[in-house]
Structures are given as structure tokens and as C-alpha cells.
Amino acid sequence: MKLNLIEKIITNSPVRAFGQKHIEGRLLRKMGSRNEYPLCLEIGCGRGIGAKIIAEQFGAGKIIATDFDPEQIEKAKRNLKPELKDTIEFKVADAMALDEPDEKFDAVFSFGVLHHMEDWKKALKEVARVLKPEGEFFFEELLKPFLDNFLIERLTAHPKGGRFTLQEFKDALSAEGIKIINLKRINNIVILGAGRKQ
Ligand SMILES: C[S@@+](CC[C@H](N)C(=O)[O-])C[C@H]1O[C@@H](n2cnc3c(N)ncnc32)[C@H](O)[C@@H]1O
């Protein structure tokens, strides 16, 4: 589901970029088990801050960063630093139907994306499909109780089907053969974590 105006302003703001780089990125980096992830995929990359974090903090040699909104991909391409042009490739793609072969990536990243999809389990299936065995999945997701909040419901646009509890998320990962290796939950608001494909 495309972002509404309020979310677009928040997502594309310097505050979000700062938090993603200095808080989420650093927390997630500590949750993985390897020093390097040579080939990475990001789903729902927005304007491309996550891809830069993956390049700079996760030892990625190559990143394919995708979003289904062509406007966000254009923004990401425009913002890309010249020195990262050979490392990051931005392209339009629906995370629920990735045009990538099975078992290609060392790591897949989702910074606040799955809860934007009516069928988030379909995207999770795709994540598991494109990960190599032992590949790692890094995620940051908002939880159902937060998205169901009266004010959040009115200010943002999230599909009903994209709202999940922590237990539902854990069960869905397990169903796709992804074992959680680290997880941090901040109240009933947000989770950050890493899982490994078995
Ligand atoms: C809240 S934004 C997060 C953007 C970025 N990852 C960040 O952390 O700033 C969610 C992003 O997911 C994208 N998105 C939503 N549904 C998608 C889908 N089915 N496939 C790919 N991207 C999707 C939206 O276009 C948006 O850029």
C-alpha cells in the first residue's frame, strides 16, 4: 500500500534518516551473526537511506534495493552518492512477487515495510525464497496494537491485513523456516530483529 501524505513526509524527513542510521541501523547490526553480507536485498527501500546503511554498516558488496512506488525509487536514485553507484542498484519491485531467483541473497532487509502490505505473509514467503540457506533477515516492524491506535489509524493508512502481533510474526517466520536469532521489542509499538534461514 502506498504511503499517505503524512507518512511520506515522516519517511522522507531528516529525523527518520537520523533515527534509521544511528538507532535502527546500529541495533540491527549487532543482531546479525556475520561480519559481512556480500549480496543483499532491501524491500520497501523508500528514498534509499536503508541501502546506504547496509552498504556502510553491513559489509555489503552489492545491494539491490527495491520499492513498488516508482516515485520513491526516483528519489532514491537522485539521492545516491556517486561513490555508492556501483554498490547499490535501485529498482521498482513488489515485495510480494520478487523478480529474483531462489537462494540468491546473503541477507534481506525490511525497514518498516511488511505492515504496509495486505498480504505480508506472501512477502515473507518471498524473503525466505530468495535467501540463501543460513542467510539472514533483518527487520523493523510496527505492531498491531500501535497501528490499531485511534490516532495512528486516523493519521496514517495501513491495511487491516498488514497488522500483526509479535506472536503472529514469530509464527509466520517459523512457518517460512526462519529462526529468530535476536529480537528487541519496544512495548507494543515496534520490533527489531534478525532471523536466520534454516
Ligand atoms: C514506511 S515506508 C519505509 C521506507 C524505508 N524503508 C524507511 O525505513 O524509511 C514503507 C515503504 O514500503 C513500500 N512498500 C509498500 N508496499 C510495498 C510492496 N508491496 N512492495 C514493495 N514496497 C512496498 C512503500 O512504498 C514505502 O516506501
Side-chain angles (χ1 to χ4, degrees):
M1 189 175 197
K2 278 199 182 177
L3 304 180
N4 74 4
L5 183 63
I6 291 179
E7 277 181 289
K8 215 164 225 184
I9 291 170
I10 295 171
T11 299
N12 293 333
S13 73
V15 176
R16 167 69 189 151
F18 183 88
Q20 198 175 356
K21 185 169 178 192
H22 297 284
I23 303 171
E24 286 100 311
R26 286 189 185 173
L27 278 173
L28 287 177
R29 186 64 193 98
K30 290 187 190 141
M31 292 183 173
S33 66
R34 302 194 205 156
N35 291 331
E36 291 184 348
Y37 299 87
L39 182 56
C40 296
L41 172 75
E42 185 188 4
I43 57 170
C45 66
R47 66 160 168 153
I49 304 295
K52 195 166 163 274
I53 294 169
I54 299 163
E56 292 172 350
Q57 299 183 23
F58 287 78
K62 174 83 190 169
I63 301 148
I64 298 180
T66 62
D67 199 290
F68 84 152
D69 183 347
E71 236 182 72
Q72 290 293 80
I73 290 295
E74 275 316 305
K75 210 182 281 279
K77 284 182 178 168
R78 275 200 306 276
N79 291 338
L80 184 59
K81 285 183 179 170
E83 61 268 30
L84 289 176
K85 280 213 157 77
D86 292 335
T87 309
I88 304 174
E89 178 190 346
F90 288 109
K91 64 181 197 185
V92 175
D94 184 345
M96 292 184 285
L98 292 168
D99 183 18
E100 298 291 345
D102 296 357
E103 303 189 352
K104 176 171 171 177
F105 295 98
D106 298 291
V108 178
F109 294 77
S110 169
F111 289 98
V113 180
L114 294 175
H115 64 272
H116 283 275
M117 296 173 211
E118 190 62 59
D119 196 350
W120 60 280
K121 287 186 183 171
K122 199 169 171 187
L124 211 47
K125 196 176 271 305
E126 284 292 82
V127 168
R129 180 183 68 74
V130 302
L131 268 179
K132 287 178 185 170
E134 305 286 308
E136 294 181 11
F137 175 46
F138 293 89
F139 52 86
E140 176 212 350
E141 287 298 330
L142 293 173
L143 292 172
K144 183 175 177 347
F146 178 73
L147 296 171
D148 283 347
N149 174 277
F150 177 81
L151 200 60
I152 300 299
E153 270 222 315
R154 265 138 202 88
L155 293 177
T156 62
H158 292 100
K160 289 271 183 212
R163 302 178 195 189
F164 43 80
T165 61
L166 175 56
Q167 191 56 50
E168 285 164 344
F169 189 66
K170 282 180 173 172
D171 290 346
L173 282 177
S174 167
E176 296 306 332
I178 297 175
K179 185 173 185 282
I180 292 179
I181 51 175
N182 265 305
L183 182 79
K184 183 169 178 58
R185 167 192 179 145
I186 300 168
N187 299 323
N188 252 333
I189 301 174
V190 66
I191 48 171
L192 292 116
R196 186 183 304 126
K197 180 172 165 180
Q198 302 303 291

